[in-house]
Each structure stands twice: as C-alpha cells, then as structure tokens.
Amino acid sequence: MKADAPEFVFLTSAPLYDIGGRVTAYGASARLGSIVPAQALGQLGYDARAVSVAGDLAPAEAAVAGAKRIVFGEMWFSKEKGGWAGPVAVYRKLLKEIAAPQKRVIFGIADDHFSDPEFAGFYREALRDCLAVTVVSEKLRARLLDFTSKPVLVAPEAVEGARGAPQAIAARRVAAPLAWLARRVGIPMDQWRVRLLWFGYPQNLPPLVELLPALEHYAAKYPLLLTVVSSGVIEGLITPSRASEETRLRVQFVPWSPFIMDSALAAADLVLIPSDYADPVKQAKSPNRLIAGLHGGRFVVAHPLPAYAPYADFCWLGEDLVRGIQWAIEHPREAVERIARGQAYIERRHSPEAVARFWLDVFHPKELTSRA
C-alpha cells in the first residue's frame, strides 16, 4: 500500500459539496452511508475518506488503488446518465481496478431497487466477489440473502446535528371568542398551534398529503402548524387556504439544506412520519428519520415500518397518526421520558463512535481495532 493511500474509502455516486468547510451531500444515504462513517473513523485516527464518483473518476481511481478497505455506497439513479446504467458502469469500472476485492470490498445498500433488472443484475454479479454487504434494515437484509451467500449485516446509521433536550408538547386550546379577538388585534394564531414537523425526500410526500384531511379535521380541536422541510413540494400540499394565518391547519414549506435541521427540530413540538408502510419496497427503509427526531429531542409519531420496531418504546407507532398526536398532547411527561430513553439507546447504537466500531469489526476486528 502506498504511504499516502487511505485506509478506508467510502464511494458514493452522489455529488459531494463543500459548504463552509464541511463536506456534505443532499442525499441522506450518501451522508449517513459514506460521509459520516468516514468522519467517524477519522475521529479514531484512521485515514478514511468519502469520495464521489459523480464527476471526474480520477480521484476515486487514485483512492481505491491502494486503499486497504473500500465501501461501494448506495447508487443514485440518474436520468441524465441513463437511469441505473451510468452508476452501474462507473462501479463496474472501479471494481475491475481493485485487486482482491473479496478481501477489500464491501457493498452498502440503502434501498430496495431489486425489481429493476439492471440494478439487480449488477448486484447479482458484483456480490459474488466481495467481503460482505451492509444494509439499513432487517427487511432489506432478508431481500439480499436471495442475491448473495456473503455476510449481510445491518449497519447503524449515525446521528447528525446537535442533540436536543427532550421536549413535550405544551398545547393550549383556544376558545373561539379569544381566537376572534386575537385576529382582530393582529396577534397570530401560531403561538397556540401544535407545531408538527415533516422532513424528507419529495417522493415520500404522498402519504403526508393523504393524511391532510385527517389533520384538518383534528385541527378543529387544536390548531396545527405543519412545517414541511424538503427539496421540493408536490401539488396539493400547500394551498392558499392552508397558507393562511387564520386557518386551523397552516402548512408552511422550508427548503432543505444540510444545515437547516437543527433549527427545524428546535422549532417543532413533534415529528410526524407518515409512510406507505404496506408497500414492500418502503418496508425496507431505514429508521434514520425516526432516529433524527429523537436525537433532536422531539417525540416522533410514525406509521409502523419494520425498521422502527426496535424504537417502539421511545415514540408512538401505529396506523392512526392523529391518535398518536393526541396521545403526545395528553401524556407530555411520558413523552419526555420516552425521548430521553430513546436518546440513551441512540447514543449506544448510533453515535459516531458506535458507527466507527461497527465498520472496524466488519472489516477486520483483530487487525484494525487494535489501533483505536
């Protein structure tokens, strides 16, 4: 190995950005599967790097040439590069340049795209010659067992951002005459609202839109403010009536950026995660949004995805999310206690040190962990 060669290289097909001296990406899979593990290992004194293959391949080729361990992270579908064809071609090219991949290469997979023949075909071929495979959920692990005889391990995704103090909802009902008087004198209703936060990719928004009628019905009892943090909105989510300060359910949109989540969580009473939980593809999703909400000190109300089950004692899981909101309002003390227990669990399982130890154990516990 070259003297200046990295010990760990985490490849991603997502573009990486340097914003204010901090390397980040717009995709959670790239951040949690490549950038954060590299940073966590770096904190233990290892030379670990996250490298994008989205542009010029020369840096990635140089990095993998002498690297001890290489992780091929989540591939990103690209319409501009022929769908999966572009990322598959790049990963195939790099794989051919790596000597002894069965000792040096791990594949990290975060989403179930195996119904796509090109995606599935690549992994059926590539997983024959690697050390192991990591996934983000037990459901996805079960899916991968049909594709490889190599070890398939569920990798903990590290937390991002600041740890927030556990906080419950302090909801107050507003009598109709008081609400009318407040509007007359120009006092916004927002101070009485229960502040709900949703964040995620635009493609995850449809279940939230489906939930809006139920939220509007409940808002007749408690006025609600729903903040949506995403890289884009879909038609039917924010209408003029829902944007009005006088409406019982007000919806506002905040463009996502790598640095917005700490303030968004701090401003929220509760994190809401509706999902298409009956969809087999969605069932393979990771618990990263639930973990982010608890880490930020906020109670989470979510649909029962399989990956959320280990965190059931720390949040509210069920089919009727409005019922979960009501429970959180009526049980503030227990909600805070659940958040605190959840944060302790997350510290053990998802802290940067825990994530670094996972990767050290995956690659070679005796050889590598002796240095830390």
Side-chain angles (χ1 to χ4, degrees):
M1 186 177 74
K2 297 179 182 178
D4 60 345
E7 293 168 282
F8 297 88
V9 170
F10 290 81
L11 299 172
T12 175
S13 58
L16 302 183
Y17 302 93
D18 187 327
I19 303 177
R22 173 179 163 185
V23 176
T24 188
Y26 283 92
S29 297
R31 296 194 312 275
L32 301 178
S34 297
I35 298 173
V36 175
Q39 293 172 341
L41 287 163
Q43 290 174 11
L44 293 184
Y46 293 93
D47 184 347
R49 309 174 191 178
V51 181
S52 174
V53 300
D56 181 11
L57 268 188
E61 290 176 317
V64 303
K68 267 190 172 183
R69 309 287 185 255
I70 302 142
V71 179
F72 282 78
E74 177 80 348
M75 288 195 298
W76 286 75
F77 185 87
S78 173
K79 291 182 179 179
E80 294 78 15
K81 297 182 179 180
W84 294 114
V88 164
V90 170
Y91 272 16
R92 275 203 176 107
K93 183 177 189 303
L94 288 172
L95 274 170
K96 290 179 180 178
E97 299 175 12
I98 297 173
Q102 69 278 6
K103 296 180 179 180
R104 300 169 62 200
V105 169
I106 283 180
F107 286 93
I109 302 174
D111 285 297
D112 183 353
H113 299 295
F114 289 95
S115 60
D116 183 278
E118 194 158 28
F119 184 93
F122 168 72
Y123 281 110
R124 283 195 185 279
E125 173 188 331
L127 297 185
R128 297 172 188 161
D129 223 11
C130 66
L131 179 63
V133 185
T134 66
V135 294
V136 297
S137 70
E138 287 291 347
K139 275 284 186 179
L140 192 53
R141 178 180 181 274
R143 186 83 157 106
L144 261 294
L145 294 177
D146 293 334
F147 283 78
T148 182
S149 59
K150 300 291 183 177
V152 182
L153 308 168
V154 179
E157 294 179 302
V159 293
E160 295 182 286
R163 176 172 172 171
Q167 177 177 303
I169 298 173
R172 293 180 293 175
R173 295 190 186 187
V174 188
L178 181 58
W180 176 84
L181 180 59
R183 290 195 298 270
R184 285 293 300 268
V185 299
I187 300 175
M189 189 181 287
D190 282 359
Q191 63 181 309
W192 288 291
R193 298 181 189 274
V194 175
R195 298 166 296 175
L196 310 177
L197 173 64
W198 183 96
F199 56 93
Y201 293 123
Q203 56 265 38
N204 293 327
L205 276 166
L208 179 64
V209 175
E210 293 178 8
L211 183 64
L212 288 177
L215 291 177
E216 287 174 327
H217 180 75
Y218 184 74
K221 183 176 183 179
Y222 283 108
L224 304 174
L225 171 62
L226 172 62
T227 299
V228 176
V229 178
S230 185
S231 56
V233 296
I234 64 174
E235 185 178 350
L237 178 62
I238 300 179
T239 62
S241 63
R242 290 183 182 135
S244 169
E245 290 190 357
E246 296 185 1
T247 186
R248 300 290 293 188
L249 170 64
R250 190 162 82 82
V251 183
Q252 65 178 7
F253 171 72
V254 176
W256 185 89
S257 81
F259 308 109
I260 197 68
M261 286 310 303
D262 283 353
S263 58
L265 284 164
D269 291 317
L270 181 150
V271 170
L272 195 62
I273 313 179
S275 62
D276 189 1
Y277 56 95
D279 183 342
V281 173
K282 299 297 184 183
Q283 287 183 357
K285 290 288 188 179
S286 87
N288 66 73
R289 287 195 290 170
L290 187 152
I291 291 167
L294 289 173
H295 179 68
R298 297 304 178 262
F299 194 71
V300 178
V301 171
H303 277 142
L305 286 177
Y308 294 174
Y311 310 87
D313 290 341
F314 316 131
C315 58
W316 192 96
L317 301 180
E319 297 184 1
D320 185 350
L321 298 192
V322 171
R323 182 181 174 190
I325 296 170
Q326 181 68 31
W327 184 94
I329 291 173
E330 294 177 347
H331 301 83
R333 178 175 176 176
E334 188 173 346
V336 168
E337 291 172 351
R338 289 191 184 193
I339 297 167
R341 293 199 306 271
Q343 288 186 333
Y345 180 83
I346 288 167
E347 181 65 24
R348 295 193 299 271
R349 290 272 304 161
H350 301 280
S351 67
E353 182 176 355
V355 169
R357 293 288 176 181
F358 168 84
W359 285 105
L360 293 174
D361 289 343
V362 168
F363 277 117
H364 204 307
K366 290 185 178 179
E367 175 187 345
L368 295 177
T369 57
S370 61
R371 287 191 43 192

